[in-house]
Amino acid sequence: MKTLYTILLLIMSVVFFSNSVHKSSEEIKLNEIQVIGSHNSYKIGIEKPLFDYLLKDKPALSGLEYEHIPLSEQLNLGLRGLELDVFYDPKGGYYADPKGLEMVKSLGAEPQPFDVEQKLRLPGLKVFHVQEIDFRSHQLLFKDALRELKKWSQANEGHTPIIITINAKDGEIPLTRKPHPFTAAALRSIDTEIREVFDDESLITPAMVRGNFETLEQAVLTNGWPLLKDVKNRFLFVLDENDEKTNEYLSSFPNSKGATLFVNKEEGNPNAAFRIINDPIKNFEKIKKLVALGYMVRTRADADTQEARKNDYKRFEMAKASGAQVITTDYYLPSKLFKSEFKVIFEKGRYERNRN
């Protein structure tokens, strides 16, 4: 039986999505839908010998015990939000031969096949989670991930826009190789690789949303986002980073002019339009307010495997009721790595909904 708390959240969610009940499908805007997406969408689970070894010394690493099906399969299910972590590797080969492979061998096991096509030795952005230990990915090259998404899009004409958040990873971790820093030039390479795969007609860009307004923020607060029917089959990319990196990125694209990526800037900044606010419990009222004003928000239904291990839906219910347009999860399907029935999905088995 549902608790009073859950019933109240459901009522709040129904009220939120009833505000534009009279709108026809032709009138719905991009920010008036809500989609479920995946977190670290590329991730293949750490192989068991290595994971068990790491867990002995650092139990907190249990938060890495999740994995995903290939990107196209996620989209086939109905997910319309993805997340890709990129590492800068302009010369190629810097992240080849991760130490985790040798660690598996030292434990008396044979590592699973890895990078048999030697893609890590090619120059360009790489996609994986943590250097040395969590290095397995369905697409090791950023451009390969983009090509897969483009191919899927061309085969699924009329799909809802796919929103992709990007982490530009250069954090140092003890006993692992130091990543190349994401300078302004490195950040520009994200744009460059996206543009090598997608043309303007396949993208939702800051310039497209800004239109004739002086700033992007002014546009979303005054005119709002494009009609959903006008941006079908497109991709929207967001740089999910701190002020230091977003400022570096914007140094190449003042006022987001010519930018491919939206940036996570707080309200009041001329480039503010799409916010990343990961905790819908702590920031419930803030997310509701931002959505009501016209911003788009990405939040999370779970984190570090905690909700899945406890079958705890509180965070997901708060995310739904907040109105955040993108809700990411590691569990659009239940885990196969530990016993759990936790599954993040909307009513009627859907991964997207609108306010109609």
Side-chain angles (χ1 to χ4, degrees):
M1 187 170 66
K2 290 179 176 162
T3 65
L4 177 60
Y5 175 81
T6 302
I7 293 172
L8 287 172
L9 281 174
L10 287 171
I11 292 172
M12 291 167 67
S13 182
V14 168
V15 169
F16 181 89
F17 282 95
S18 297
N19 287 338
S20 57
V21 68
H22 299 299
K23 283 194 174 183
S24 71
S25 60
E26 294 291 300
E27 299 173 302
I28 294 172
K29 291 190 173 185
L30 176 62
N31 61 315
E32 294 176 329
I33 63 172
Q34 194 171 53
V35 303
I36 290 171
S38 57
H39 159 254
N40 292 342
S41 311
Y42 52 84
K43 186 174 167 356
I44 295 175
I46 302 173
E47 53 199 291
K48 186 170 174 53
L50 178 58
F51 185 73
D52 290 345
Y53 173 78
L54 295 170
L55 209 58
K56 286 181 182 179
D57 290 333
K58 296 185 181 298
L61 291 180
S62 61
L64 298 179
E65 196 174 13
Y66 63 95
E67 61 185 2
H68 291 296
I69 59 178
L71 300 177
S72 293
E73 292 182 23
Q74 294 179 45
L75 297 179
N76 284 339
L77 279 179
L79 273 66
R80 294 296 179 263
L82 300 172
E83 181 181 57
L84 300 174
D85 291 342
V86 295
F87 288 78
Y88 188 50
D89 186 18
K91 295 182 180 179
Y94 189 71
Y95 296 104
D97 306 315
K99 291 180 182 178
L101 296 174
E102 291 303 318
M103 292 172 68
V104 172
K105 292 178 183 178
S106 72
L107 295 169
E110 184 63 28
Q112 297 171 9
F114 178 70
D115 192 20
V116 293
E117 297 178 355
Q118 297 289 291
K119 291 191 172 186
L120 286 175
R121 301 197 180 278
L122 299 173
L125 295 165
K126 306 302 187 296
V127 178
F128 55 88
H129 190 217
V130 182
Q131 62 269 31
E132 315 292 11
I133 61 170
D134 198 1
F135 50 83
R136 294 188 180 275
S137 173
H138 286 293
Q139 293 289 7
L140 288 167
L141 301 184
F142 183 52
K143 278 195 284 191
D144 278 354
L146 298 176
R147 292 184 186 111
E148 179 183 354
L149 298 177
K150 181 179 180 179
K151 181 179 179 181
W152 182 91
S153 179
Q154 291 173 333
N156 291 272
E157 184 74 21
H159 67 79
T160 299
I162 298 165
I163 298 166
I164 301 174
T165 56
I166 295 176
N167 292 130
K169 302 193 78 169
D170 57 8
E172 296 183 37
I173 299 173
L175 305 178
T176 70
R177 71 193 76 189
K178 180 180 177 180
H180 293 302
F182 265 98
T183 60
L187 290 163
R188 282 198 305 273
S189 75
I190 302 175
D191 269 51
T192 299
E193 294 201 10
I194 291 172
R195 293 287 186 171
E196 287 177 2
V197 177
F198 293 109
D199 57 22
D200 279 340
E201 286 67 37
S202 301
L203 298 171
I204 301 170
T205 63
M208 178 184 185
V209 176
R210 186 176 65 247
N212 295 322
F213 286 89
E214 185 176 344
T215 70
L216 179 58
E217 184 179 53
Q218 188 182 61
V220 300
L221 297 182
T222 305
N223 194 51
W225 293 78
L227 290 170
L228 187 61
K229 69 181 180 65
D230 293 336
V231 289
K232 294 282 189 177
N233 309 308
R234 293 181 184 248
F235 293 79
L236 185 155
F237 291 88
V238 184
L239 181 61
D240 177 10
E241 279 298 345
N242 56 28
D243 274 343
E244 182 179 356
K245 284 182 188 169
T246 53
N247 288 340
E248 281 289 325
Y249 176 75
L250 290 170
S251 70
S252 300
F253 307 102
N255 199 25
S256 292
K257 185 176 181 180
T260 301
L261 307 174
F262 290 81
V263 292
N264 179 33
K265 286 293 188 185
E266 288 197 9
E267 52 278 16
N269 186 288
N271 300 285
F274 197 111
R275 298 299 321 282
I276 308 291
I277 304 177
N278 287 324
D279 190 339
I281 297 177
K282 179 181 177 181
N283 298 297
F284 180 74
E285 292 297 334
K286 181 175 184 177
I287 295 173
K288 273 182 60 179
K289 179 181 177 181
L290 290 173
V291 169
L293 287 171
Y295 298 93
M296 291 189 69
V297 178
R298 196 288 308 267
T299 194
R300 293 181 64 179
D302 47 83
D304 303 322
T305 75
Q306 293 303 304
E307 286 75 16
R309 295 181 191 276
K310 300 173 184 176
N311 284 306
D312 179 3
Y313 287 90
K314 179 180 178 181
R315 186 164 173 161
F316 179 41
E317 295 296 340
M318 294 292 278
K320 286 192 293 183
S322 75
Q325 290 89 348
V326 184
I327 303 171
T328 61
T329 179
D330 292 320
Y331 302 102
Y332 47 87
L333 296 173
S335 176
K336 294 182 178 180
L337 301 177
F338 53 82
K339 188 175 181 180
S340 173
E341 297 178 357
F342 187 77
K343 180 180 179 179
V344 171
I345 193 168
F346 293 135
E347 300 77 11
K348 299 181 180 179
R350 297 179 60 85
Y351 293 96
E352 68 172 278
R353 63 182 186 176
N354 56 45
R355 301 185 210 176
N356 268 6

